[in-house]
Amino acid sequence: MNVVLVMDAFRIFFKFHSWNGNALDENGKDTTDKSKMMYRKLEEANNKATLEGIITSSFVLGALCGALMATYLGEKFGRQRTIMIGACIFTCGAIIQGLSIRSWIMIAVGRLITGLSIGCNGVLCPTYISEVAPAKIRGTLSSCYQLMTTFGIIVAAIINSIVWYYTNSTPAGLGDTAARANQHIWDEVPNFEWRFALLFQVVPGLGLATLMCFLPKSPRWLCSKDRDEEAVEVLAKLNAATTTDAVVQDELKAIQEDVAATRAAGSSSFGELFSPVIRRRTFITFLMQLFQQWTGINVIMYYQSQIYDDIGFSKFMSTVVLPIINNFVNFISTFPGMWGIEKLGRKTLLVIGSLMMMVFHISTWACSTQTDNGKVWQYLAVASVFLFVFSFAWTWGPVPWVYQAEVFPLRVRVKGSAVGTVSNFLNNWIIAFVGPALMKAWSTKTFLLFAAACLLAWVYAQFYVIECKGLSIDEMDAKMASKA
C-alpha cells in the first residue's frame, strides 16, 4: 500500500491532494520550463493525514477481527477449507477496492474485508503448514512462511513501483494551469494506476484458493473429528509411503496422543491466563507484541516513500529505488533470525534488537537534520532506516510469534496466543492510524518517539522477559511462578 498511497491519481481521486497543472522537475523543484517538467505538483488537503490513516488502518482493523475468528473457523470447518474461504474473501475485498467510487468509505470497507482474510489466514496458514509438513522438514517449512511473506512484499513493491513510474513520470497536462482552473481534475487524471495495483491482488487471492483445492486436509484436524482413517491416508501421501509404514504410524500415534491430551485438558477460560502460575506469561506476551509495533516498524513499512521524500530524495528514489532496497533488506534479514532464535535465545535477541533499533532511530533523526549540508547526510539517514529494518527483522520480528506459541501450557495455549495476536493487531491499527499525523506534525522527530519506545522495550526485555529456550513446560512453570 506504500506505493499506492503516493500515486498521483489515487491522491487526487480520494481528495488527499488537488492539482492545477503546476509541475516539478526531476529533483522535486518547481519549474515552468516545459523541457524540465517531470512530475505533478500536488497541493495537500488539510484532512490528508486523517484520510490516509483511516484507509491504511482499516486493513489492520479487519485483520484483528479475522484473527479473533480464526481459531473457531479453523476448528469448525478445517484449516484447508477455511484458508480457501479466506482467499475468496480476500479476492472480494480486492475487487471492492479496485472498483471504488470517489469515497474513502468504499475503499476502507474493501481494505477491511481483505484484512479479515489476512488476519484469519495469517493465523491458520502457519498452523496448517506445521500440521501437514513431514516431521523431518517441519521446522524448515514453518520458517519458510515468514521468508515467503517478506518475499511477497518485495514482489508487490516491484510491481507497484513499475506501475507508478510509467504513469506518474511526465504525465499529460503538465504546466497547463489555465485549462484546469475551473475543471474537475479527477475526471481528467486516469485512474488506471491505482485501480490496476489494487485489482492485481485478485491474482494471488484466486491463486491461493485454487491451489488449496489440491492440498490435503490437516491430519490433526481429521483426528480431532475422529476421522482417523482419512488422517492416516493423508499422512501416507505426505510421506510418500504406505498407510502401514512405520513413519506414518508413528506420526499418527503422536497426533492421536496430542488430540487426547487436548481433550483431557478440557476447555479453559480467559480467567486462567491471570492465575499466579500463568499471568506473567500473559503480560509478557501482551507487552512483547505491543513493543514490537511501537518500535515503529510499520510506520516505516506503510509510509516509507513519504519518509524518504521528507529526507530530501527525489520522487523516483523515494517511490521506486529505496522502497525496493528496504524490502529486500527486510527479506534477507529473515535468515539470521532463523539462526539466532535457536543459537542465541529469545531474550538475547530482544535485548540486542531493542538497543540496535534505538541507536538507528536516533541516527536517522540526527542525519535528517543535516540534509541541507549535503547529499551524504541524506544517504546516511536512509542507511540508518535500512539498518533499523535489519535490526528489527532478525530480532523483534520473529521472536514474539515464536515466544507466544511455546510459552503457554497446552490447556490455555490457544487463548494465550490469542492475547498476543490481539495485542499485535490492536497496536498495529493504532500505529497505522496515527502514523500520518505524527509524520505531518513532527516530521523526522517521530523517530525520537520510537527511539524512546525502543529504550522501554530494552528495559522490558532485560528485566521482565524470561528466557524459554530449551525449557520444558514444567521448568517454565517453576521459573514463571517464582517471579509472578
Side-chain angles (χ1 to χ4, degrees):
M1 194 64 183
N2 166 61
V3 177
V4 174
L5 287 173
V6 294
M7 290 179 176
D8 289 350
F10 183 87
R11 289 176 156 189
I12 294 169
F13 190 81
F14 288 105
K15 307 176 187 178
F16 290 7
H17 294 77
S18 59
W19 181 52
N20 63 1
N22 288 333
L24 303 171
D25 62 19
E26 64 178 345
N27 296 314
K29 299 185 182 301
D30 291 355
T31 183
T32 55
D33 186 342
K34 288 259 184 188
S35 64
K36 294 182 179 180
M37 292 179 180
M38 190 76 174
Y39 306 111
R40 300 181 183 96
K41 181 184 179 181
L42 304 182
E43 300 297 331
E44 184 176 314
N46 292 330
N47 61 348
K48 179 252 186 184
T50 302
L51 292 176
E52 199 171 58
I54 291 172
I55 291 174
T56 304
S57 65
S58 59
F59 174 85
V60 187
L61 183 61
L64 170 61
C65 298
L68 291 173
M69 298 187 297
T71 302
Y72 170 77
L73 295 175
E75 288 296 331
K76 184 173 179 62
F77 300 108
R79 284 67 154 141
Q80 180 223 28
R81 188 178 299 173
T82 304
I83 292 172
M84 288 174 60
I85 295 171
C88 293
I89 292 173
F90 177 88
T91 302
C92 292
I95 292 172
I96 292 172
Q97 291 177 64
L99 300 180
S100 181
I101 60 174
R102 195 165 187 257
S103 168
W104 62 267
I105 296 176
M106 184 170 177
I107 191 170
V109 169
R111 284 184 56 75
L112 187 141
I113 291 172
T114 55
L116 285 171
S117 167
I118 294 300
C120 182
N121 284 358
V123 172
L124 291 181
C125 284
T127 302
Y128 178 77
I129 292 170
S130 67
E131 291 179 351
V132 300
K136 57 186 177 183
I137 59 171
R138 184 170 296 143
T140 302
L141 289 181
S142 295
S143 299
C144 284
Y145 173 77
Q146 178 66 19
L147 191 67
M148 289 299 100
T149 299
T150 55
F151 180 72
I153 293 172
I154 294 177
V155 173
I158 292 173
I159 292 173
N160 287 340
S161 295
I162 292 172
V163 172
W164 178 89
Y165 179 74
Y166 281 103
T167 56
N168 285 260
S169 298
T170 59
L174 288 178
D176 190 7
T177 57
R180 285 165 172 74
N182 297 308
Q183 295 184 20
H184 297 299
I185 192 61
W186 56 84
D187 291 333
E188 294 188 21
V189 177
N191 289 297
F192 164 80
E193 54 193 82
W194 65 269
R195 291 192 188 278
F196 172 82
L198 296 176
L199 285 171
F200 195 80
Q201 297 174 100
V202 170
V203 175
L206 289 179
L208 177 60
T210 302
L211 293 174
M212 285 301 298
C213 295
F214 300 98
L215 296 179
K217 292 180 172 63
S218 161
R220 191 193 185 286
W221 180 78
L222 289 170
C223 284
S224 71
K225 302 300 179 184
D226 297 320
R227 295 160 64 176
D228 291 8
E229 291 183 3
E230 294 178 60
V232 74
E233 290 177 4
V234 169
L235 288 170
K237 289 181 181 179
L238 292 172
N239 288 278
T242 63
T243 56
T244 57
D245 188 276
V247 173
V248 173
Q249 290 298 317
D250 287 344
E251 285 199 35
L252 177 65
K253 183 179 179 182
I255 292 172
Q256 289 172 330
E257 290 175 350
D258 184 52
V259 169
T262 302
R263 288 174 174 171
S267 60
S268 59
S269 67
F270 277 99
E272 291 182 48
L273 294 175
F274 301 96
S275 65
V277 176
I278 298 175
R279 67 186 176 208
R280 186 180 180 90
R281 278 172 265 209
T282 305
F283 291 132
I284 287 175
T285 299
F286 182 88
L287 290 172
M288 194 178 293
Q289 292 286 14
L290 179 149
F291 281 121
Q292 187 205 56
Q293 291 304 309
W294 282 95
T295 61
I297 182 63
N298 279 324
V299 167
I300 290 176
M301 301 309 287
Y302 293 157
Y303 307 112
Q304 57 182 307
S305 290
Q306 297 172 61
I307 293 172
Y308 305 141
D309 186 64
D310 285 345
I311 292 173
F313 285 96
S314 67
K315 277 183 173 288
F316 178 75
M317 288 291 290
S318 297
T319 309
V320 178
V321 178
L322 296 178
I324 291 175
I325 294 174
N326 188 40
N327 288 322
F328 183 72
V329 170
N330 187 36
F331 172 67
I332 62 174
S333 302
T334 306
F335 293 100
M338 293 165 62
W339 167 83
I341 204 161
E342 293 299 337
K343 295 294 184 180
L344 301 177
R346 288 69 163 147
K347 177 174 180 174
T348 303
L349 287 189
L350 294 177
V351 171
I352 293 172
S354 54
L355 290 175
M356 290 177 67
M357 289 187 294
M358 180 183 67
V359 169
F360 293 128
H361 272 320
I362 294 173
S363 65
T364 299
W365 166 77
C367 293
S368 71
T369 63
Q370 302 298 316
T371 53
D372 291 337
N373 297 326
K375 280 190 172 293
V376 64
W377 291 103
Q378 294 178 7
Y379 286 102
L380 287 173
V382 82
S384 296
V385 172
F386 293 164
L387 288 169
F388 161 79
V389 171
F390 164 76
S391 304
F392 174 88
W394 79 284
T395 59
W396 280 83
V399 169
W401 300 104
V402 172
Y403 198 94
Q404 73 179 39
E406 64 186 4
V407 75
F408 289 99
L410 180 64
R411 178 178 170 82
V412 294
R413 186 168 298 162
V414 173
K415 288 182 171 63
S417 294
V419 168
T421 302
V422 168
S423 175
N424 179 278
F425 283 122
L426 178 62
N427 286 283
N428 192 341
W429 174 73
I430 294 171
I431 283 288
F433 182 74
V434 304
L438 286 175
M439 294 302 298
K440 182 178 180 179
W442 295 351
S443 187
T444 54
K445 290 187 181 71
T446 307
F447 289 105
L448 293 179
L449 170 66
F450 295 134
C454 290
L455 178 60
L456 291 175
W458 172 79
V459 173
Y460 153 82
Q462 181 68 50
F463 299 105
Y464 192 64
V465 173
I466 301 295
E467 178 60 73
C468 62
K469 181 174 79 80
L471 296 180
S472 68
I473 287 295
D474 289 338
E475 293 171 328
M476 207 175 298
D477 284 346
K479 202 166 186 179
M480 294 282 186
S482 66
K483 298 186 178 184

